[in-house]
Amino acid sequence: VKILPVDSEHSAIFSLIEKCGIENIDNITITASGGAFKNLSKEELENVTVEDALNHPTWNMGPKITIDSASLANKGLEVIEANQLFGLLAEKINVVIHPQSFVHSFVQTKDGALYAQISKPDMKHPILNALTYPEIMENSLEKIDFSKALQMEFMPPRYDDFPMLKLAYSALNKEKSYPIVYNAVNEIAVAAFRNKQIKF
């Protein structure tokens, strides 16, 4: 069967690959909001609280995924998912911090051109795309309005300060059951952090 991804990043990649052709794709880039702690130093991260981690700047999500967003573990899981969904090697899957969350992902074709899917940060878009696939349907969802000023920032992840992302690549490269272990260990760590048994 054809899997239709509903997560906004994988929905975007799926749509872009459909349009460009998987044979023409050189690499993909998954965007990350950066979570609640993107501007904190390594020293400041030592003392953040559960309440701090649950204060996401862009998305309104449940506590587990919000903490995963703060640690970048959610991007690590999305890298693993992209490998499984699209058959791309780890070195062909990139991550970029994009705080505004307008760009949901990029694909780069073999000629070097970069293509993006851009829409308001609203899960209704990828849900609608999955429900109506393969049609593109008119809808009443809010569109980006270029008559108003719009700024978008992109910056590389801080792998050393947010090691969960680096560990995901390591698990993916080791293959076997390592990605499953990564997921399970993260579940345990998030639960311990929420129960204030460990630091962030």
Side-chain angles (χ1 to χ4, degrees):
V1 297
K2 182 168 281 197
I3 295 173
L4 302 176
V6 175
D7 196 6
S8 65
E9 294 84 355
H10 299 92
S11 173
I13 294 163
F14 177 82
S15 297
L16 291 164
I17 288 176
E18 286 257 304
K19 289 172 176 61
C20 295
I22 188 68
E23 70 281 1
N24 297 315
I25 302 298
D26 179 70
N27 64 80
I28 64 173
T29 299
I30 300 171
T31 54
S33 68
F37 303 144
K38 65 181 176 295
N39 297 320
L40 297 189
S41 67
K42 190 167 189 173
E43 293 70 33
E44 288 172 317
L45 289 170
E46 285 289 320
N47 299 309
V48 296
T49 66
V50 175
E51 292 73 24
D52 295 331
L54 292 174
N55 187 22
H56 196 283
T58 310
W59 295 94
N60 181 17
M61 307 175 289
K64 162 68 167 58
I65 189 65
T66 304
I67 291 169
D68 283 349
S69 178
S71 70
L72 293 188
N74 70 319
K75 287 305 132 181
L77 291 165
E78 288 174 12
V79 167
I80 292 168
E81 291 160 7
N83 163 264
Q84 295 295 304
L85 287 168
F86 308 116
L88 294 165
L89 298 174
E91 59 263 29
K92 295 292 186 178
I93 305 169
N94 308 304
V95 172
V96 66
I97 305 299
H98 169 47
Q100 295 78 20
S101 300
F102 288 127
V103 177
H104 298 287
S105 279
F106 296 95
V107 299
Q108 190 161 46
T109 48
K110 291 175 181 175
D111 61 0
L114 196 63
Y115 297 87
Q117 189 197 64
I118 306 173
S119 65
K120 288 287 184 98
D122 187 339
M123 282 303 299
K124 292 176 188 142
H125 284 281
I127 292 168
L128 178 68
N129 289 344
L131 289 173
T132 60
Y133 178 85
E135 293 180 47
I136 295 176
M137 188 173 286
E138 287 191 34
N139 59 75
S140 59
L141 298 177
E142 187 181 359
K143 296 175 174 62
I144 289 176
D145 181 3
F146 284 110
S147 68
K148 299 170 186 171
L150 178 67
Q151 290 185 321
M152 291 191 282
E153 302 168 279
F154 302 95
M155 58 206 80
R158 292 156 48 200
Y159 290 98
D160 292 335
D161 295 343
F162 297 89
M164 287 301 292
L165 181 55
K166 186 190 288 187
L167 283 169
Y169 280 99
S170 176
L172 192 52
N173 283 322
K174 287 177 185 285
E175 299 180 338
K176 300 180 183 175
S177 60
Y178 281 93
I180 299 168
V181 173
Y182 174 88
N183 182 53
V185 167
N186 181 58
E187 293 270 355
I188 293 165
V190 170
F193 175 63
R194 289 184 66 194
N195 291 326
K196 303 186 177 178
Q197 295 169 305
I198 62 171
K199 285 187 169 187
F200 180 72

